[in-house]
Amino acid sequence: MTETLKLDNEIGSAVALDAPRAKMNREALLHLIAELHDQEHAIRQGGGAKAAEAQRAKGRLTVRERLKLLLDKDTELFELGLWAAHGMYAEYGGAPSAGVVTGLGRVSGRLCMIVANDATVKAGAFFPMTAKKVLRAQIIAMENRIPTLYLVDSAGVFLPLQEDVFPDMDDFGRIFRNNAVMSAMGIPQITAIMGMCVAGGAYLPVMTDTVLMTEGSGLFLAGPSLVQAAIGQKTGAEELGGAAMHAEISGTVDFKEPNDHICLARLRSLVEKMGERTAKSEGFRRREFNLHRDAPRFPAEDVYALMNPAPGASNVYDMREVIARIVDRSEFDEYKQEFGRTVLCGYAWIGGHAVGIVANQKTNQRDTVAMGPAAGAMKIEVGGVIYTEGAQKAARFMMDCNQNLVPLIFLHDVNGFMVGKDAEWSGIIRAGAKMVSAVSTSVVPKISVIVGGSFGAGHYAMCGKAYDPRFLFAWPTARYAVMSGASAAATLAEVRAKQLERNGKKLSDAEKTAIHEEIRADYDAQADPRYGAARLWIDAIIDPAKTREVLIAALDTCALNPEVPPFNPGVLQT
């Protein structure tokens, strides 16, 4: 007789949804999400209704009209970098979404990276953040081997800011370098020129595999006015670099199309015929996935009750409540559960993808004192802080995931590493270095979600932007800075007050308070996820209840490139 083995690895839930605090958190977070949605709607309007009508008057579609026709029916663009340049370039009238739309979308059934200029924003000109946003899209495409489609409608570099767009290694020219590198990697790239494509920007389409161009568009290194100024030659735009000239004379264009609609239909037809390279290895572990059978046991919307989104709010919650609403069937094989308890590590499935999860535990933990006169007694470890044992556990877990080809998910709500004599004696610097080294040398895909705070070196150890996550997402509750606004304000306000007093100004308590509040407000604004997303430190701000579907989409994307280099952790502090 064979016994059926049943592993009890289901996460339970103790969220008191009817508690006053839970109701308050839910109401506050839903209000913040609604505010973000209104702002996102405004960003998607680009240069506004008047600019959109001017675009249509030229016989061209707006960028989002083009995307609607390009993408498969009943699918949406998984937009990345929507908040790019938010609140920036005010002296030039702003640049909503940096004047370019990027994201992942299905075209003829094929997942593609799409880069599309928005000509309603300064004629699609490249601001500094525009170049960085396109580069970020190319990096994601290269890391995951995603076919890339460019819809070009751009006046080129925004000349008033040319010094910040043109010369550096993460500026405009790097885009064309990446075109060549992506081609060498075997990543298909197709460009549809659907408006102006001038100056240095003219190299982008020609460095991709296939070029489409609509009648009435222009492709030239210098426009008619500049040509006349430079060499005295008078010529019209169509004769100089129109679709007919490039299709019939220069041979630069592969497909000449009469309008946007036909051009997009041709683009879909070409994508439909793309082959796929066969992976040399089986890659990451996957299992058959059923949307209903494998759903988490608890509603995703429950997470709204966990956190107060107000800056500086003290949020104490069990991170397992979040994990239970993200992973398949709410099943989680927790690693070293009784050791280093302020860091959670474990294995799970998300959308049929095997993953390893590293997360910060936000409830205070009782841990055993292992040494000294108090050996065997219990000590309290503060939630959200990484202690020596937690850092050691996380480092070892990450190395195991690399050894076994298991992608890593990081859920941030971290105050930083523990400080003080006891921490130093325990070797916190050595353990922290081990954790940072492990995340640095990891070769499996890494995806980070900033749930709450992500401060100081804790941000680094939890795979912050500098540590090459394939994607980095943030909840509206995220706070992203060297330290919290309260801590920074306390330090900086004292410094400023002493400077003023040294210069002979006697400050009242009210003036000191005003200085403190001013600094805190500025610091909190910079820690807001919208500030980070504007600078592309964050790929997308996501609804907490949609974390699971966002992670599934990201993991599906990572699975397109199952090949990883050999794992070599280098020298680790032991």
Side-chain angles (χ1 to χ4, degrees), residues 316-558:
V316 177
Y317 62 94
D318 189 341
M319 185 63 87
R320 293 185 188 90
E321 299 283 3
V322 176
I323 295 172
R325 289 159 177 83
I326 291 175
V327 301
D328 295 357
R329 307 181 193 179
S330 300
E331 294 175 349
F332 183 56
D333 297 312
E334 189 165 346
Y335 177 86
K336 295 185 185 289
Q337 184 173 358
E338 290 78 26
F339 183 73
R341 299 179 186 185
T342 62
V343 180
L344 299 176
C345 299
Y347 298 97
W349 300 92
I350 298 179
H353 297 270
V355 298
I357 296 174
V358 180
N360 305 113
Q361 176 58 286
K362 285 296 289 183
T363 58
N364 295 342
Q365 299 293 305
R366 295 178 65 84
D367 204 17
T368 303
V369 178
M371 299 176 63
M378 300 300 292
K379 64 177 180 178
I380 298 297
E381 293 190 340
V382 179
V385 176
I386 302 175
Y387 291 76
T388 297
E389 297 84 358
Q392 291 172 339
K393 175 172 78 172
R396 172 59 189 270
F397 178 73
M398 284 187 267
M399 289 190 284
D400 284 359
C401 286
N402 276 271
Q403 184 76 0
N404 296 312
L405 288 181
V406 180
L408 284 160
I409 308 291
F410 296 84
L411 302 177
H412 297 221
D413 199 345
V414 58
N415 298 342
F417 287 91
M418 190 57 188
V419 297
K421 186 177 75 173
D422 289 346
E424 298 295 355
W425 284 24
S426 72
I428 186 65
I429 298 176
R430 187 175 70 248
K434 187 185 300 183
M435 185 175 176
V436 171
S437 181
V439 76
S440 302
T441 58
S442 287
V443 293
V444 296
K446 297 171 289 190
I447 301 170
S448 287
V449 182
I450 304 177
V451 171
S454 190
F455 298 118
H459 174 74
Y460 301 155
M462 290 294 294
C463 194
K465 185 64 184 289
Y467 292 80
D468 301 320
R470 297 278 182 98
F471 297 95
L472 194 154
F473 306 114
W475 285 11
T477 49
R479 290 291 177 268
Y480 190 170
V482 171
M483 63 180 73
S484 70
S487 299
T491 302
L492 295 174
E494 183 178 354
V495 170
R496 186 184 296 181
K498 286 182 177 178
Q499 287 174 336
L500 291 170
E501 289 173 350
R502 279 198 299 268
N503 291 330
K505 181 174 176 56
K506 182 68 175 177
L507 297 176
S508 67
D509 290 342
E511 288 173 321
K512 290 179 180 179
T513 299
I515 290 173
H516 180 278
E517 291 306 311
E518 178 190 351
I519 293 173
R520 178 166 182 167
D522 288 344
Y523 209 89
D524 283 339
Q526 292 180 17
D528 189 289
R530 285 166 284 197
Y531 187 92
R535 289 150 182 81
L536 296 174
W537 305 337
I538 294 167
D539 291 315
I541 301 172
I542 64 173
D543 184 333
K546 295 183 178 179
T547 304
R548 174 175 165 81
E549 62 184 79
V550 167
L551 287 176
I552 290 174
L555 288 164
D556 285 345
T557 303
C558 293

